[in-house]
Amino acid sequence: MFSIPKPYLIFVGEGLEALDVKTGQGLVEWRPEWCSGQYRLTESAYDLGLVDMIPSAAKAAGLATMVIGGATFGGRLTQAWRAAVVEAIEAGLNVASGMHDRLNADPGLAKLAKERGVSLFDVRGLPENYAPNVGNGRRRAGKRLLTVGTDCAVGKKFTALCIERDMRKMGLAATFRATGQTGVLISGGGIAIDAVVADFLAGVVETLSPDAEPDHWDIIEGQGALHHPAYGAVSLGLLHGSQPDAFVVCHEAGRTALIGYPEVTTPTIEECVMLNVTNARRMNSNVHCIGVSLNCAALTPQERELALAELEESTGLPVVDPLFGTDRLIEAMVSARPC
Amino acid sequence: MFSIPKPYLIFVGEGLEALDVKTGQGLVEWRPEWCSGQYRLTESAYDLGLVDMIPSAAKAAGLATMVIGGATFGGRLTQAWRAAVVEAIEAGLNVASGMHDRLNADPGLAKLAKERGVSLFDVRGLPENYAPNVGNGRRRAGKRLLTVGTDCAVGKKFTALCIERDMRKMGLAATFRATGQTGVLISGGGIAIDAVVADFLAGVVETLSPDAEPDHWDIIEGQGALHHPAYGAVSLGLLHGSQPDAFVVCHEAGRTALIGYPEVTTPTIEECVMLNVTNARRMNSNVHCIGVSLNCAALTPQERELALAELEESTGLPVVDPLFGTDRLIEAMVSARPC
């Protein structure tokens, strides 16, 4: 769908936390061979472990595209970031962005890019010339797994990418389906659905995961969370359009409140399973939860083992830390009786 | 949010049937005090019972905005209608439209409006210069009722308008909050949310129903249905952003399958209540269903009485035909204990 010239200069901005550079981190982790430098606006900005470069040096070193690797609140292009984009264009780099504020919608940036002969890639929203339809609810051939979550940023994309990788290692047919800008940048396909007009959301997801062979699995990247005050609508459109046979609940160990919403507690795994099954079963009455993917990044090894064992005990479901493989989820997924 | 100057000149066009002037009829029915004239292009055009005026006479009589009250096939602006819009702008009237063809997207109309110092209101989608935010989930003061449904086109807008009217008759403080284009034109405010990007849906709905006095009720127009294969996402964003204290389930007597989805059965009232409560209670733990609004248009009077009684018996909820008043719903709504 998109064909973005490589290698990449990852634009970090001034964010201090890993979460501020989610897209950059995903690219470094899943496509390290494409990431040749980072552009940080301040010394204290998060370090992705790449060589620091300013755009002109990146161009001189043969890099092709500056990818916006950071995130601002609401996906807005701030003044400082816009200046960095101008700097990259002036240096002769293409720029790729998953922000809500589209680079191509900024007349000044579009004009400058044209003058310098570089391209601006907006990977959020629908590709050009894609005419969306409303959902039809028709059951499609093949199997589908969706990664759902107790919050944003708990590992839904990561878990889906791990499952695809691990299934392929086992010789199983699996395709990762990206639904967010980072996933689109990593996989080179899919659609960042959160920028789709709500009326067309389920319909777009239906086309994202078309009919397939009976034993092929689409591993669909989840977004948001059904109970999330801001993003519940995106999650429901995704759940309906995916009509999943199976889902994994992704959770971060120790997270007790939603990120950015300190007064909103995270649901229990059981609540999350119930809410997803309740909403999904009208599209696929056989939907079931096959397990939990627990993000243990904040835990010591001992704490991790304890957390996994406790959650497995309390939920009765397979619980894995995806960093150490997702085979137990895959076994639960493929061994479930066909219905 | 839209705020369209009144009073209105209703543009009828040349349509012969009531159905050709649906929006105009809705306006005359629900906001007669705003409708001071009609502009018909032919003598045989449908008569809304208003004084016939051409735009210049309307302006002289103190009217403020010409509202496109008719509908063309596909929501297109025909040549004859465009000429009428030009005439209105030239006369110094604002123009409001819910058509797919946006007035502001027509460079000639936009330029002319600017020259004459009038505004063009395209009530589908977000108003210009409205920068949406994501939802914050913060509880707002005042009370909120949402009309939900077992399908599209079951009477959610009609029921909400009836409840607002009947509450005001009782001396209660109520404000209808429009979420669709016809509702926006009828109420002169609100946002047609089906054209909002999914990420911002709940946030837009939050701003649509701001803080209010403790005993004031916002009566929010519902859209779609939570279990709908295409529009569930819209309904969930609306449910979350509304954080309703109360909801009414709207249903059409005798409808057994979703419109346009002959293989998808309508849910029972109980299923619909359960799904809405399950999804809404994280935003407002005191949410409850106060009753059912049954659209009995297809029934004889005898069938109607029977249908109302049967549904009341089976659900244990007040069930009304909104054509005959919504007082019983309002009593259930305001008598519920404050929490």
Side-chain angles (χ1 to χ4, degrees), chain A:
Chain A
M1 190 176 74
F2 295 98
S3 179
I4 303 173
K6 301 158 191 77
Y8 295 158
L9 173 67
I10 309 297
F11 177 70
V12 170
E14 59 285 272
L16 304 176
E17 309 294 330
L19 194 64
D20 300 325
V21 205
K22 240 177 93 174
T23 299
Q25 269 221 314
L27 278 164
V28 168
E29 184 162 10
W30 290 97
R31 297 291 182 265
E33 67 278 17
W34 296 350
C35 303
S36 302
Q38 64 184 3
Y39 181 25
R40 300 186 298 159
L41 291 183
T42 59
E43 269 186 38
S44 57
Y46 190 82
D47 188 351
L48 290 170
L50 301 169
V51 183
D52 283 303
M53 296 181 187
I54 60 171
S56 56
K59 177 67 183 177
L63 276 63
T65 302
M66 183 171 90
V67 176
I68 308 291
T72 54
F73 188 74
R76 292 274 141 66
L77 184 66
T78 65
Q79 210 139 358
W81 286 31
R82 189 180 182 282
V85 171
V86 167
E87 192 188 349
I89 298 171
E90 297 270 16
L93 295 173
N94 307 296
V95 183
S97 159
M99 289 190 296
H100 268 298
D101 277 350
R102 295 173 76 84
L103 302 176
N104 285 296
D106 182 317
L109 295 180
K111 184 164 171 279
L112 190 63
K114 204 173 166 185
E115 282 168 16
R116 302 291 159 138
V118 300
S119 298
L120 304 177
F121 299 95
D122 288 300
V123 303
R124 208 165 198 169
L126 294 176
E128 273 184 59
N129 305 321
Y130 177 107
N133 282 314
V134 299
N136 60 45
R138 187 182 62 76
R139 285 297 301 280
R140 305 187 295 284
K143 295 281 198 175
R144 281 158 197 87
L145 175 130
L146 177 67
T147 54
V148 306
T150 56
D151 192 5
C152 299
V154 287
K156 294 183 286 288
K157 177 180 73 264
F158 185 83
T159 300
L161 284 161
C162 289
I163 291 175
E164 183 204 42
R165 179 198 58 202
D166 296 344
M167 284 183 75
R168 288 184 174 183
K169 275 189 204 156
M170 294 175 174
L172 299 168
T175 306
F176 171 77
R177 300 293 186 184
T179 60
Q181 68 261 22
T182 306
V184 170
L185 283 165
I186 289 173
S187 69
I191 291 174
I193 60 160
D194 60 358
V196 172
V197 161
D199 244 13
F200 296 123
L201 196 54
V204 166
V205 174
E206 289 176 357
T207 65
L208 204 62
S209 166
D211 282 303
E213 293 300 311
D215 57 355
H216 176 276
W217 283 85
D218 269 341
I219 311 299
I220 304 171
E221 177 193 3
Q223 294 292 335
L226 274 182
H227 52 269
H228 195 288
Y231 308 122
V234 172
S235 304
L236 187 61
L238 182 48
L239 188 70
H240 280 177
S242 297
Q243 52 184 226
D245 303 281
F247 66 90
V248 173
V249 174
C250 302
H251 178 60
E252 185 183 46
R255 191 178 303 180
T256 53
L258 302 190
I259 288 183
Y261 299 78
E263 286 165 22
V264 183
T265 55
T266 52
T268 63
I269 301 296
E270 290 81 354
E271 275 180 275
C272 187
V273 170
M274 185 278 291
L275 197 58
N276 275 280
V277 167
T278 302
N279 282 290
R281 67 183 159 207
R282 270 209 149 238
M283 304 302 146
N284 185 344
S285 57
N286 299 313
V287 62
H288 61 290
C289 178
I290 55 147
V292 178
S293 173
L294 191 66
N295 178 338
C296 300
L299 305 185
T300 65
Q302 289 89 336
E303 288 171 336
R304 191 174 64 83
E305 291 312 314
L306 193 65
L308 291 167
E310 278 182 357
L311 200 54
E312 192 148 327
E313 169 77 22
S314 70
T315 62
L317 291 164
V319 181
V320 308
D321 177 347
L323 265 184
F324 297 82
T326 62
D327 291 10
R328 292 183 59 225
L329 297 179
I330 296 167
E331 280 153 23
M333 183 177 131
V334 298
S335 69
R337 290 182 175 286
C339 308

Side-chain angles (χ1 to χ4, degrees), chain B residues 127-147:
Chain B
E128 271 186 60
N129 304 319
Y130 176 107
N133 281 314
V134 299
N136 59 46
R138 186 181 62 76
R139 285 299 300 278
R140 306 187 295 285
K143 295 281 197 172
R144 282 159 196 86
L145 175 131
L146 176 68
T147 54

Side-chain angles (χ1 to χ4, degrees), chain B residues 170-185:
Chain B
M170 295 175 173
L172 299 168
T175 307
F176 171 77
R177 299 294 185 184
T179 61
Q181 68 249 24
T182 305
V184 169
L185 285 168

Side-chain angles (χ1 to χ4, degrees), chain B residues 74-216:
Chain B
R76 292 278 131 67
L77 186 66
T78 64
Q79 211 139 359
W81 285 32
R82 188 179 183 284
V85 171
V86 167
E87 191 187 350
I89 298 172
E90 297 269 16
L93 295 173
N94 306 296
V95 184
S97 159
M99 290 189 296
H100 269 300
D101 277 351
R102 295 173 73 85
L103 302 175
N104 284 294
D106 182 318
L109 295 180
K111 184 162 172 280
L112 189 63
K114 205 174 166 185
E115 283 167 13
R116 302 292 160 138
V118 300
S119 298
L120 303 178
F121 298 95
D122 288 298
V123 303
R124 235 175 185 153
L126 291 176
E128 271 186 60
N129 304 319
Y130 176 107
N133 281 314
V134 299
N136 59 46
R138 186 181 62 76
R139 285 299 300 278
R140 306 187 295 285
K143 295 281 197 172
R144 282 159 196 86
L145 175 131
L146 176 68
T147 54
V148 306
T150 56
D151 193 4
C152 299
V154 288
K156 294 184 285 287
K157 177 177 76 262
F158 186 82
T159 299
L161 284 162
C162 288
I163 291 175
E164 184 205 41
R165 178 198 60 200
D166 295 345
M167 285 184 76
R168 289 184 172 183
K169 274 189 204 156
M170 295 175 173
L172 299 168
T175 307
F176 171 77
R177 299 294 185 184
T179 61
Q181 68 249 24
T182 305
V184 169
L185 285 168
I186 288 174
S187 69
I191 290 175
I193 61 162
D194 60 357
V196 173
V197 160
D199 239 13
F200 295 124
L201 195 53
V204 165
V205 174
E206 288 176 358
T207 65
L208 205 62
S209 166
D211 281 304
E213 293 300 312
D215 57 355
H216 175 277

